[in-house]
Amino acid sequence: MASPFPYTLLFFLFPFFLIIFVASARPPFACASGGPATGLPFCSVGHPIKTRVKDLLGRLTRAEKVRLLVNNAAGVPRLGINGYEWWSEALHGVSNTGPGVRFGGQFPGATSFPQVITSAASFNASLWELMGQVVSDETRAMYNGGQAGLTVWSPNVNVFRDPRWGRGQETPGEDPKMAARYAAAYVRGLQQPYDGKHGRTKLKLAACCKHYTAYDLDNWKGIDRFHFNALVSKQDLEDTFNVPFKACVTEGNAASVMCSYNQVNGVPMCADPNLLKGTIRGQWHLDGYIVSDCDSVDVFYNTQHYTPTPEDAVAATLKAGLDLDCGPFLAQYTESAVTKGKVTDADIDAALTNTLTVQMRLGMYDGDPSKQPFGNLGPRDVCSPAHQSLALEAARQGIVILKNARKALPLSPSRHRTVAVIGPHSDATVAMIGNYAGVPCRYTSPLQGIGSYATAVQQKGCMDVACQGDQPIGTAVDAARTADAVIVVVGLDQSFEAEQKDRDSLLLPGRQQELVSKVAMASKGPVVLVVMSGGPVDISFAENDPRISAIIWAGYPGQAGGAAIADAIYGAYNPGGKLPMTWYPQDYVQKVPMTDMNMRANPSKGYPGRTYRFYTGPVIYPFGHGLSYTKFSHSLASAPTQLSVQLDGQKLMSFNSTDPAQRKRAVRVTHARCDGLHIPIHVDVRNEGDRDGTHTLMIYSNPPAGHSAPVKQLVGFEKVHVTAGGQVRVEMAVDVCNDLSFADANGVRRIPIGEHSLRIGELSHSVSLVAEQTRL
């Protein structure tokens, strides 16, 4: 691999935990010294966890067990076990969205990183894991102080399928393989597994990947997530929607998966035995628990009317594989479900075995938390200078330059001394952290950040994001006329895109476009447009306006967003972010109903397909777009032109490798010898400019013709730092079975045999996959 200066060093700057000893404010959750369970096997750390869980289950009554099936699990005082709130959130920092986290006292706030879609734009897996480690430190510290839980229901790894989705901001974007890599990296950072006794891996936190599966509609034109039945093909389920969740479990070893509200092909997700017990636990081998999205069980009974009685709903969800209900439903109806013969005590024990095992892996049954690993973490480990510096670095890495005409950026502090800062987000604070956020350590607004480089004169022009009716656009125009440069900060906020709020339009709200155009017309100096949003916005008017010199997408950049935006505009930081989603024109959403789940295009029906993998129509900006203040070039150092795919001779005796028709077919992944089947790609990246910079090396694959594979697919990416005039060699490997395969109509993974075109920037390289029968 290359030696990317800022990224490898970051791991050494932020260790897993800082050695600062504090008195724990939290009493033991269970197994306190001298308590009623002293000496009992479930409290003995010398026993295997499996033995301890079995012992505890044998001591609980049915009524006690039932109260442990819900998020606000009741305590068992006679055994010295306290109540526990399972619902904590940590999407991009410790969040008080769920009841498990409480700010105040010694923990007034926590580090707020950029919203996930913004961090995704960094294309830096090392950064994602490091952010997870920081969030893990801060969550453990707050747990030790009695103000957070250890089970965090993050990350959101749904594919950003439709640009209108209000929760797309929470996701790593539209590419399933990139989302998969984000998922595994962030989960590893959160959980930080370590070896316990008896070979059992223990956890610092327990992460949860959500919302499984095909969930990406909240409330669109009267259709909401509680009633929506997502009609999804086996093909799209396998090679799009389930890809990040599989990686969460198999690569990130996530301790939990959350099932979603929606139905998939007529079955509520939290009652689908094939997708829960069959896939998550059976095929992917989840070592953890499955939890419902909050009140999902109640929703499929009372709203979707999937079962005739509450007891039947209990049976449907427990037998499908659910272990924990976020909501009261299982606590209310499970005992009567047993009485009526719908479920058995064994069904309850199976669910509790999974949840209790996770709690024991977290050390919750090991006594005093201050005497355990990470028990030293406390208030000094939350909002530390190092953590806040990383929040700024993450915001910088997420900034994407969309346009830079005539090299208008970076601005010069000496030439652009007075800057008009205009727009509804010109002094943004809360808007910068997006949703599922907590209380930040502090804010740096765009106005404050720009003010550190020049004299900043603010005139909002639009008093809020809606920008309706009478607005002081004229005063903003007047300010633009006299300034050396103009920075207009526009976009969206949670009133336009959020949970339970999808968009109808991709245009800027209200009179924002009018504000931008009039200010640009009046300005005597360069005009920089900054867009703050989670989802894409049709800003073609600005891209095509020669008076708008530069455009930046900042996403929702977190607590340090204003400083990062200013550093990028003034060149203290050379941005290298790339768009993690396609920016479509407005007419795209006028043609495509949000309810159509098909990924692949269907020209006969006028359906254009979704995401860069299948959509080939016009765009405002493509997936992966992003400029730099320097220029990078690529040269291929080495790569094979042919690779043999060894097939299992026992299963494919009829395969004839000399038959041209056979050689072009797509073979099942399960029939290939996949171990070590990689295409090694070595690329030299050269910085041809006079500024140091970071570059995302992306490898795309175009498959042989004649298959229903994606039109193109991102098969690898790496972030590298290259000094001005320097060159770095990047060594990557394309996994043939994972990266070059696609799902057929039956959801079966296949490898297209034939010529695959690999594109790396301006380079194109062909690799021919040749099927060969294994000689026995």
Side-chain angles (χ1 to χ4, degrees), residues 674-706:
C674 291
D675 289 346
L677 189 57
H678 296 87
I679 301 174
I681 308 288
H682 297 183
V683 179
D684 290 330
V685 179
R686 183 169 185 80
N687 184 342
E688 298 184 352
D690 57 3
R691 285 177 176 266
D692 296 353
T694 57
H695 177 61
T696 299
L697 179 69
M698 296 179 172
I699 302 179
Y700 291 92
S701 169
N702 297 100

Side-chain angles (χ1 to χ4, degrees), residues 74-86:
V76 187
R78 67 182 183 85
L79 293 177
I81 300 172
N82 287 311
Y84 179 69
E85 177 54 68
W86 285 81

Side-chain angles (χ1 to χ4, degrees), residues 596-620:
D596 193 323
M597 301 295 292
N598 289 297
M599 297 300 299
R600 288 158 169 82
N602 188 339
S604 66
K605 295 183 177 180
Y607 185 71
R610 294 183 179 276
T611 77
Y612 81 94
R613 298 166 64 228
F614 302 105
Y615 172 73
T616 57
V619 300
I620 308 302

Side-chain angles (χ1 to χ4, degrees), residues 656-665:
N656 182 358
S657 61
T658 63
D659 182 348
Q662 293 263 22
R663 291 171 64 88
K664 291 182 180 180
R665 79 179 193 177

Side-chain angles (χ1 to χ4, degrees), residues 530-776:
V530 178
V531 180
M532 198 177 290
S533 69
V537 183
D538 182 345
I539 51 170
S540 51
F541 79 95
E543 172 64 26
N544 297 327
D545 189 340
R547 293 164 299 192
I548 297 174
S549 311
I551 305 174
I552 284 175
W553 179 66
Y556 293 127
Q559 65 175 51
I565 290 168
D567 288 347
I569 289 174
Y570 279 92
Y573 181 84
N574 185 357
K578 305 289 185 183
L579 289 178
M581 72 295 203
T582 302
W583 283 39
Y584 300 89
Q586 169 66 10
D587 64 0
Y588 175 84
V589 297
Q590 294 170 340
K591 299 174 183 176
V592 180
M594 198 170 174
T595 50
D596 193 323
M597 301 295 292
N598 289 297
M599 297 300 299
R600 288 158 169 82
N602 188 339
S604 66
K605 295 183 177 180
Y607 185 71
R610 294 183 179 276
T611 77
Y612 81 94
R613 298 166 64 228
F614 302 105
Y615 172 73
T616 57
V619 300
I620 308 302
Y621 300 109
F623 173 92
H625 176 69
L627 307 176
S628 171
Y629 295 150
T630 188
K631 180 183 178 182
F632 297 98
S633 61
H634 311 86
S635 58
L636 191 63
S638 67
T641 57
Q642 181 173 302
L643 190 70
S644 295
V645 178
Q646 298 291 323
L647 304 180
D648 189 330
Q650 292 292 332
K651 294 182 179 178
L652 295 177
M653 294 297 292
S654 62
F655 183 85
N656 182 358
S657 61
T658 63
D659 182 348
Q662 293 263 22
R663 291 171 64 88
K664 291 182 180 180
R665 79 179 193 177
V667 300
R668 286 179 179 242
V669 167
T670 54
H671 292 174
R673 299 291 178 91
C674 291
D675 289 346
L677 189 57
H678 296 87
I679 301 174
I681 308 288
H682 297 183
V683 179
D684 290 330
V685 179
R686 183 169 185 80
N687 184 342
E688 298 184 352
D690 57 3
R691 285 177 176 266
D692 296 353
T694 57
H695 177 61
T696 299
L697 179 69
M698 296 179 172
I699 302 179
Y700 291 92
S701 169
N702 297 100
H707 301 287
S708 59
V711 176
K712 66 176 180 178
Q713 172 67 59
L714 181 68
V715 295
F717 61 89
E718 289 296 335
K719 192 86 166 185
V720 293
H721 183 84
V722 190
T723 57
Q727 180 172 295
V728 172
R729 176 160 296 181
V730 183
E731 300 180 3
M732 300 174 67
V734 176
D735 184 325
V736 172
C737 292
N738 185 50
D739 297 332
L740 298 186
S741 66
F742 71 99
D744 66 15
N746 295 314
V748 176
R749 282 273 177 183
R750 293 183 177 274
I751 305 167
I753 299 301
E755 190 171 286
H756 292 251
S757 176
L758 301 180
R759 294 191 299 105
I760 308 161
E762 69 278 14
L763 300 179
S764 180
H765 176 74
S766 293
V767 178
S768 181
L769 297 184
V770 178
E772 293 186 358
Q773 195 169 329
T774 303
R775 302 291 181 184
L776 299 179

Side-chain angles (χ1 to χ4, degrees), residues 62 311 314 333-345 348:
R62 181 187 296 163
E311 290 79 13
V314 170
Y333 298 109
T334 300
E335 283 197 87
S336 60
V338 175
T339 302
K340 294 180 179 181
K342 304 291 185 178
V343 297
T344 66
D345 288 311
I348 299 172

